[in-house]
Amino acid sequence: MSSYFTDLARQYIDGEWRPGSGSWDVIDFNPYDDEKLASITVATVDEVDQAYRAAARAQKQWAATNPYTRRAVFERALRLIEDREQEIADLIIAELGGTRVKAGFELHLAKEFLRESIHLALRPEGRLLPSPTDGKENRVYRVPVGVVGVISPFNFPFLLSLKSVAPALALGNGVVLKPHQNTPIAGGTLLAKIFEEAGLPGGLLNVVVTDIAEIGDAFIEHPVPKVISFTGSDKTGRHVATVCAQNFKRAVLELGGNSALVVLDDADIDYAVDAAVFSRFVHQGQVCMAANRVLVDASVADEFTEKFVAKVRTLKVGDPRDPETVIGPVINSAQANAVSGTVRQAIAEGATALVHGSTTDNLVEPSVLTGLPADSALLRQEVFGPVVFLVPFDGEEEAVRIVNDTPYGLSGAVHTGDIERGVAFAKQIDTGMFHVNDGTVHDEPLVPFGGEKQSGIGRLNGETTLEAFTTVKWISVQHGRSGFPF
């Protein structure tokens, strides 16, 4: 594994591995033990420009390449990931503090999305549309947008980089990827290495490890990319959307959430407890779809709370390399301090801590809070860590109101003994995704993934990915002769 951090701690621009020329380094740390994994000199504005220009040059020939030929690259990339799955899992554990279960979950999804990209290369179809003008034929072609800029986050870096990079490439585009500075290898240069070895032509995929402190808005302002695919916080997403709009670019934004898991009075309580614990505490709660709030009908609140708290107390916190560990470190000390501060604020506002976890370095133990005042801002914002708010309610109407009382609308779940009751409940929630009798954390290759309100703009996966990374072009052919008024 150490060779990955040594070999891939560089920029990948125009098919070449090279150091950045910036004046400072991104230091890649293991968030569990603070071990220095790698040091990467940042890319400059000029190197971002070189990356985009390389992608634009390579894209024309790539788009003209037979899609069956393009598809073979992704088949080889999938085999490479399968052959190195354990090494990649170890890298994920080391670089972002993911547990073994989390690393396996991320790699499983990554392979599924790569399989879909293999098929996506053959999906674009043209159309013939009728014309009111005699002798005229309307052809509508679906074509690549050209070059896509991808900005990926730290929480599922390999998966969330791949799910934009692979389909964009499969559809005939060039790509420039900027991974999060906390996960430059798993979210960036590792993908470049895999696609390089899979035979992707040089220049088509470029990875620039850098930061806004060095390049400002150059990555999203650059004239070459026509689409920016961003996954991250709503605050940064708002800025990305603004800059994209000013520069006539399409923005695909997968942003934060404040999802709720709702337990109705006829739910299977034991099953709902399992779903809720996973939905909140998978990857330390650093998941946009995580259940920040667990809403429980007052008639079953005592039973649910007792069983939920008991299960949370069993979650092992510690070294993510240990297969028994459920909760590893959060990504850095700033995040650890922010999560601890949320717990302190909630208690100061009147909440009761049923479980009050302590914080040691980047290890944040779970906290379960109840009794937070209904008007607290904490109930409406995203908490990116192992903290959950239990909220009782009286009847479905009140539950719907509470679930929707947030500026976010990404995911959610409801548990009930009546499936159609659950579907009827889900239809009332202002969210892009909602699940009946399941957890809140799901992603699949064919279903549209994305949120409403401040949780994002646009969708990815399946047909929606096709829409995101291609455009349509109308070419008309007049087989006869048009008449002109002058």
Side-chain angles (χ1 to χ4, degrees):
M1 182 190 66
S2 59
S3 63
Y4 271 132
F5 291 107
T6 303
D7 298 343
L8 302 182
R10 291 174 286 172
Q11 311 291 337
Y12 185 69
I13 299 172
D14 203 5
E16 296 181 355
W17 293 94
R18 48 170 149 151
S21 60
S23 57
W24 55 285
D25 293 349
V26 166
I27 309 299
D28 192 9
F29 288 105
N30 180 322
Y32 174 68
D33 58 16
D34 220 27
E35 176 192 1
K36 180 179 175 180
L37 302 172
S39 176
I40 306 174
T41 302
V42 294
T44 61
V45 171
D46 183 56
E47 284 156 335
V48 169
D49 176 66
Q50 292 172 36
Y52 274 129
R53 300 295 176 189
R57 284 194 303 271
Q59 186 268 333
K60 296 295 184 185
Q61 184 173 349
W62 178 243
T65 301
N66 188 305
Y68 283 89
T69 302
R70 294 204 304 263
R71 186 178 68 169
V73 172
F74 301 92
E75 292 171 339
R76 290 191 292 269
L78 177 60
R79 288 196 295 271
L80 287 168
I81 292 173
E82 290 173 334
D83 290 345
R84 300 173 189 176
E85 194 159 346
Q86 189 55 58
E87 292 175 83
I88 298 172
D90 288 343
L91 187 153
I92 288 171
I93 291 166
E95 191 172 42
L96 56 136
T99 62
R100 292 209 172 273
V101 169
K102 188 269 183 189
F105 182 61
E106 180 167 2
L107 280 167
H108 167 73
L109 283 176
K111 290 185 294 181
E112 289 299 321
F113 277 95
L114 195 48
R115 289 187 182 101
E116 174 59 17
S117 293
I118 292 169
H119 300 296
L120 200 61
L122 308 180
R123 292 278 285 280
E125 296 177 345
R127 301 173 67 195
L128 290 176
L129 298 178
S131 171
T133 302
D134 290 342
K136 191 173 187 179
E137 177 184 89
N138 288 319
R139 304 179 186 183
V140 180
Y141 293 84
R142 184 163 290 282
V143 297
V145 294
V147 175
V148 176
V150 177
I151 304 173
S152 64
F154 67 79
N155 57 342
F156 281 76
F158 188 70
L159 169 65
L160 296 179
S161 292
L162 187 74
K163 71 177 287 188
S164 283
V165 168
L169 290 170
L171 291 166
N173 299 289
V175 174
V176 179
L177 167 64
K178 190 189 90 63
H180 195 281
Q181 58 267 35
N182 286 127
T183 50
I185 309 296
T189 53
L190 175 59
L191 268 74
K193 184 66 173 175
I194 288 168
F195 278 109
E196 180 185 52
E197 292 188 14
L200 187 73
L204 269 174
L205 173 60
N206 303 267
V207 178
V208 289
V209 179
T210 189
D211 186 79
I212 194 169
E214 176 69 28
I215 65 169
D217 287 333
F219 190 89
I220 44 182
E221 285 180 334
H222 197 282
V224 163
K226 300 299 186 291
V227 174
I228 300 293
S229 179
F230 170 83
T231 305
S233 71
D234 58 296
K235 178 182 177 182
T236 306
R238 187 186 300 273
H239 179 72
V240 171
T242 301
V243 176
C244 284
Q246 290 170 340
N247 290 274
F248 299 96
K249 299 179 188 296
R250 188 188 308 168
V252 180
L253 306 175
E254 302 292 345
L255 308 179
N258 180 19
S259 299
L261 186 144
V262 181
V263 183
L264 299 182
D265 54 7
D266 61 346
D268 178 332
I269 299 301
D270 291 331
Y271 177 59
V273 165
D274 289 345
V277 170
F278 175 82
S279 297
R280 174 64 271 189
F281 297 108
V282 61
H283 193 41
Q284 295 75 269
Q286 298 175 121
V287 184
C288 57
M289 297 171 280
N292 283 16
R293 301 168 293 156
V294 175
L295 278 57
V296 188
D297 190 279
S299 65
V300 294
D302 288 346
E303 179 187 359
F304 178 90
T305 300
E306 181 182 351
K307 291 179 176 180
F308 182 81
V309 167
K311 188 173 180 73
V312 170
R313 290 190 187 279
T314 69
L315 303 180
K316 182 175 180 179
V317 180
D319 188 342
R321 293 168 293 191
D322 182 345
E324 299 298 314
T325 296
V326 174
I327 296 181
V330 295
I331 192 66
N332 53 38
S333 58
Q335 193 65 30
N337 292 335
V339 175
S340 301
T342 296
V343 175
R344 288 194 299 271
Q345 181 182 342
I347 292 172
E349 291 183 13
T352 299
L354 303 177
V355 179
H356 191 172
S358 62
T359 298
T360 306
D361 298 324
N362 294 336
L363 285 176
V364 181
E365 295 178 343
S367 289
V368 178
L369 302 164
T370 190
L372 193 63
D375 61 353
S376 172
L378 295 177
L379 290 172
R380 292 161 180 81
Q381 68 190 43
E382 181 175 45
V383 179
F384 225 55
V387 178
V388 64
F389 301 114
L390 296 184
V391 182
F393 64 85
D394 289 306
E396 286 183 50
E397 186 176 334
E398 184 177 46
V400 169
R401 180 186 61 76
I402 295 171
V403 174
N404 284 331
D405 188 15
T406 173
Y408 297 99
L410 186 59
S411 186
V414 61
H415 280 249
T416 171
D418 181 341
I419 289 173
E420 295 310 320
R421 181 187 184 191
V423 172
F425 184 93
K427 288 179 177 178
Q428 300 176 71
I429 307 303
D430 302 327
T431 185
M433 306 173 287
F434 208 83
H435 309 285
V436 178
N437 290 341
D438 212 333
T440 63
V441 180
H442 293 283
D443 197 358
E444 295 181 10
L446 294 180
V447 294
F449 182 100
E452 296 296 323
K453 300 191 282 190
Q454 292 181 23
S455 287
I457 297 174
R459 298 289 188 270
L460 289 176
N461 306 353
E463 292 294 330
T464 56
T465 294
L466 196 67
E467 295 286 340
F469 299 135
T470 63
T471 189
V472 290
K473 186 172 187 176
W474 171 33
I475 297 179
S476 75
V477 178
Q478 176 52 280
H479 292 283
R481 296 174 70 86
S482 290
F484 302 102
F486 57 86

